[in-house]
Amino acid sequence: MKFYITTPLYYVNSKPHIGHSYTNIAVDTVSRFYRMKGCDVFFMTGTDEHGEKIEKATLARGFKTGEEKRFVDEIVPVFKELWQKLGIQYDCFIRTTDDYHIKAVQAVLDKLYKDGKIYKKIYKGWFCTPCETFWSEAQSDAGLCPDCKRRLEKLDEENYFFKISEYQNWLIDYINSNTGFIKPDFRKNEVLGFLKEPLHDLCISRSKSRMSWGIEIPFDKNFVTYVWFDALINYISGIGYPGDAGRLNKYWPADFHIIGKDILRHHAVYWPIMLHALGLAPPRTIFAHGWWIVKGEKMSKSKGNVVDPAALIDRYGIDAYRYFLLREVPFGLDGTFSEEALVTRYNSDLANDIGNLLNRTLTMVEKYFEGKVPNVQRTAYSVQRIDLLKEKAIALADELDKAMPQLDFAGALVKIWEVINVANKLIEDSKPWTLAKEKKTDELATLIYTLLDALRIVAISISPFMPGTAKAMMTQLGICDDKKVLKPGDKINKSAPLFPRIE
C-alpha cells in the first residue's frame, strides 16, 4: 500500500523556527508509523524560494538585485541541517528553484492558459507582502491585511488571473461530500464560511517591472508566477508531473497535506481548484495544525519571541523535544510553549516514568538473573496485575492503529504511557525484592519477563515518536530489531539511564 504525505514548503527568508520543526516532526512520525506497517511511504518536504519577500531579504542581507539564488542557496542548508539533527527521514527535498519544478509550473500554466482558464486584466486591489496574499477592496480591513494586520500595498496593474470563481460551487459540494477532506472539522467549517462569500478569480502573476524573482510565465515573458501558485504545484512536480505519469499515478492523490492553519485557504481553496482544472483528484486529507504561542502571542521575529529548535535540542535532546511537541497539545489546536513546561514533561514522563521503568527492570535482571532474560515456567503464576499489564501491552498495536490515521499523537502517547504506568505500579505492588527474598523464583521470573516484554512492546510503539529512545531501549533489552522476541537466556545490555532528571 502506498502512503504519500507532505509538509508545506518553508519560506527561506530566514532560518527555521519551532513551527517548522513541529510540522516536520509530525509528518516524520506518521511516516515512520506507516513504514513500520510495511507501507510504501513517500514523504516530501522542501523550500519555497521565490517572491517579493525573498527579493527584500536578499537585499537586506547585503546581496544585490539578481543574486536571490545565491541568497537562498545559503539558507536552504540551514533547513536541511535542522531536519538531519531532528532525525527527519524525508524521501524528497524539493526546492522551487529546481529545474524540474520550474518546468512543471510552466506546464501547468501553459495547459490552463490553452484551456481558457487564465486571462489578462487590470488588477485593482491590495497585496500583503509578508503573507504573499492578494486581497480585494471588500476583504481589506481599512488597508490592513485580514490575516497579519499589517499595512497592505495598493495595486493597480495589468496581470494574469486564474478563473477559480467558476469552481466555487464544485468545491463547496466536494467539501460537503468528503468529510475527511479538511481536518480538523472546525477548519472545514472555517473554509466553508470563507466560501459563503463570492470567490474572486486569483491573480497569478507579477510584472517583472515590479518583481522579477520568480518563474517566468511561459506565454508572456514580461511576467513571473505568483509565488503561491508556484509553490502549491510542488506536491505533484515532486512525484513526476508532467513527464513521469507512472510515478504520479502511483502516489497521487496525496494521503495527507500537513500544514499550519495560517495557510489553510491556499491549500483548501486554491489548490483543489487548480487540481480539478488540471483533471487531477484533490488530496485525500488537508490537516491544518495550530500555532505554538509564547507568553500569549504567536511567535514572530519582530516580537523577538521566536524559539530556536536547535538550541532546545542541544539542551534537552532530540527525543525529549519531539515528545514534548507531540504530547503537550492535541494536534490541530494551539499550544503554549515554555521551557518550564518542557522540563516538567521531561522529568515526569521521560525520567520518572519510562526511564525509571527501564532502569529498575534491567537492574533487577542483573541482580536476580545474572543479566539474562529469565526462563518462565509453564506453571508460572498469574495475578490480576500481571494479566492487566499483558492485556494493555498486547492491545497497544490496535490502539495505535486507531489513533495514528487521525493524527492523534497525544492520544497515542497516552495509550503507550498507560502501559508504562501499569508496569511501574506492578513493580510497587508485586514487590519483586520480597519475592526474591522468599525465593519464589518462578513468580519472580514471570514478573520480570512480563515487565521486559512490556518494555519491548513500548520500545516498538514509541519508535515513530522517539526513534533514538526506541533504539536505545531495544539495545539494552538485547533486541536487534523490532521483530525479535525476548528469549530466555538472552543477555541484556544495561547502560546509563535514558533520561537523567533535570534539577
Side-chain angles (χ1 to χ4, degrees):
M1 184 180 102
K2 74 89 182 175
F3 185 79
Y4 177 32
I5 187 168
T6 70
T7 72
L9 296 189
Y10 302 115
Y11 218 55
V12 291
N13 59 327
S14 62
K15 66 181 183 179
H17 54 67
I18 187 175
H20 300 114
S21 68
Y22 185 44
T23 313
N24 268 51
I25 287 169
V27 174
D28 182 68
T29 300
V30 180
S31 298
R32 287 174 181 270
F33 175 78
Y34 278 98
R35 285 193 193 103
M36 193 167 70
K37 301 283 288 181
C39 295
D40 175 9
V41 173
F42 193 82
F43 163 15
M44 190 163 72
T45 190
T47 46
D48 183 1
E49 301 177 22
H50 292 124
E52 194 169 345
K53 278 197 294 189
I54 299 297
E55 270 196 343
K56 291 183 175 181
T58 299
L59 296 174
R61 283 283 297 272
F63 291 89
K64 299 176 183 177
T65 300
E67 293 185 322
E68 290 85 1
K69 184 62 164 60
R70 280 187 58 202
F71 168 70
V72 297
D73 282 349
E74 285 191 2
I75 301 293
V76 167
V78 179
F79 281 80
K80 288 187 173 182
E81 286 163 12
L82 179 59
W83 304 153
Q84 184 177 13
K85 193 167 189 173
L86 279 169
I88 305 296
Q89 293 184 337
Y90 54 80
D91 297 287
C92 175
F93 189 101
I94 188 171
R95 300 176 59 181
T96 54
T97 54
D98 288 334
D99 287 343
Y100 71 91
H101 174 74
I102 292 170
K103 290 175 182 176
V105 171
Q106 291 179 326
V108 169
L109 287 165
D110 197 51
K111 175 174 171 49
L112 294 178
Y113 184 68
K114 288 176 179 175
D115 289 347
K117 304 301 181 184
I118 292 175
Y119 64 96
K120 194 177 186 182
K121 75 169 186 179
I122 293 177
Y123 176 77
K124 293 184 178 181
W126 299 90
F127 183 74
C128 177
T129 298
C131 295
E132 296 279 8
T133 301
F134 292 95
W135 298 101
S136 68
E137 286 282 359
Q139 291 170 318
S140 67
D141 180 13
L144 298 179
C145 175
D147 284 348
C148 71
K149 306 304 179 186
R150 282 175 278 200
R151 183 64 56 186
L152 293 168
E153 175 189 5
K154 185 72 172 177
L155 293 184
D156 187 350
E157 63 183 27
E158 198 168 42
N159 268 306
Y160 284 94
F161 286 76
F162 172 42
K163 297 179 179 179
I164 62 171
S165 58
E166 291 186 0
Y167 300 96
Q168 182 165 2
N169 290 335
W170 166 81
L171 182 58
I172 293 170
D173 290 343
Y174 187 85
I175 293 170
N176 285 324
S177 301
N178 293 269
T179 55
F181 178 50
I182 301 171
K183 288 289 187 178
D185 286 341
F186 60 88
R187 297 295 174 208
K188 177 185 76 174
N189 296 334
E190 183 181 314
V191 173
L192 288 172
F194 175 78
L195 290 170
K196 286 180 179 178
E197 299 297 324
L199 198 56
H200 298 279
D201 287 343
L202 180 65
C203 182
I204 61 166
S205 68
R206 297 303 303 273
S207 170
K208 281 186 179 178
S209 63
R210 292 176 55 83
M211 197 273 291
S212 61
W213 178 236
I215 296 175
E216 191 175 85
I217 300 282
F219 42 82
D220 193 331
K221 308 302 183 186
N222 296 313
F223 292 86
V224 293
T225 310
Y226 169 46
V227 64
W228 265 110
F229 192 92
D230 158 10
L232 289 165
I233 292 168
N234 92 89
Y235 300 126
I236 54 175
S237 68
I239 53 170
Y241 184 90
D244 191 345
R247 190 157 162 258
L248 179 70
N249 291 335
K250 177 182 179 182
Y251 288 111
W252 194 260
D255 294 274
F256 279 103
H257 288 331
I258 310 297
I259 61 169
K261 66 179 183 179
D262 51 327
I263 55 175
L264 177 61
R265 184 175 60 255
H266 307 80
H267 283 79
V269 178
Y270 305 157
W271 180 226
I273 288 176
M274 289 165 65
L275 288 165
H276 190 63
L278 290 169
L280 294 172
R284 291 199 169 95
T285 300
I286 298 164
F287 195 106
H289 65 70
W291 289 332
W292 282 97
I293 308 299
V294 177
K295 295 180 180 178
E297 295 183 308
K298 179 181 182 256
M299 273 181 272
S300 165
K301 292 188 292 293
S302 62
K303 294 174 181 174
N305 63 352
V306 171
V307 177
D308 180 7
L312 291 171
I313 295 164
D314 290 341
R315 205 169 299 143
Y316 303 107
I318 296 170
D319 281 1
Y321 179 71
R322 287 176 66 116
Y323 177 79
F324 175 80
L325 293 184
L326 296 173
R327 176 64 183 86
E328 185 70 4
V329 63
F331 197 62
L333 302 180
D334 289 345
T336 298
F337 180 85
S338 71
E339 280 199 57
E340 293 80 8
L342 194 159
V343 170
T344 298
R345 280 279 176 205
Y346 180 103
N347 282 335
S348 64
D349 297 8
L350 302 181
N352 288 359
D353 293 346
I354 191 170
N356 195 37
L357 174 63
L358 179 67
N359 191 60
R360 292 173 79 190
T361 302
L362 296 183
T363 296
M364 289 189 288
V365 175
E366 286 185 332
K367 184 174 182 179
Y368 303 131
F369 297 99
E370 300 178 335
K372 296 176 182 178
V373 177
N375 185 24
V376 180
Q377 302 297 323
R378 285 182 177 275
T379 57
Y381 90 138
S382 173
V383 297
Q384 187 175 4
R385 289 181 296 269
I386 287 182
D387 290 344
L388 175 62
L389 178 57
K390 287 179 180 177
E391 289 169 9
K392 286 273 187 188
I394 290 168
L396 199 48
D398 288 338
E399 297 287 0
L400 296 185
D401 283 345
K402 294 174 188 174
M404 293 303 283
Q406 305 302 318
L407 307 187
D408 183 10
F409 304 115
L413 288 166
V414 165
K415 292 298 181 182
I416 294 170
W417 251 251
E418 284 180 5
V419 175
I420 294 167
N421 293 334
V422 168
N424 274 319
K425 191 168 190 313
L426 176 61
I427 294 174
E428 297 302 321
D429 291 347
S430 298
K431 297 180 175 54
W433 45 89
T434 300
L435 295 175
K437 186 177 181 180
E438 295 175 354
K439 300 196 182 305
K440 295 180 178 179
T441 307
D442 286 352
E443 290 91 332
L444 181 62
T446 299
L447 172 63
I448 298 300
Y449 185 90
T450 303
L451 290 169
L452 287 171
D453 203 46
L455 281 165
R456 176 186 69 85
I457 293 170
V458 165
I460 294 169
S461 301
I462 66 166
S463 60
F465 304 88
M466 299 188 289
T469 299
K471 185 176 181 180
M473 288 180 67
M474 290 178 189
T475 299
Q476 292 193 51
L477 291 167
I479 300 169
C480 61
D481 59 59
D482 61 5
K483 297 185 178 70
K484 185 177 177 182
V485 297
L486 294 167
K487 295 180 182 176
D490 282 354
K491 184 79 174 166
I492 64 158
N493 303 290
K494 184 175 180 290
S495 60
L498 290 177
F499 297 100
R501 278 186 63 84
I502 297 172
E503 301 299 341

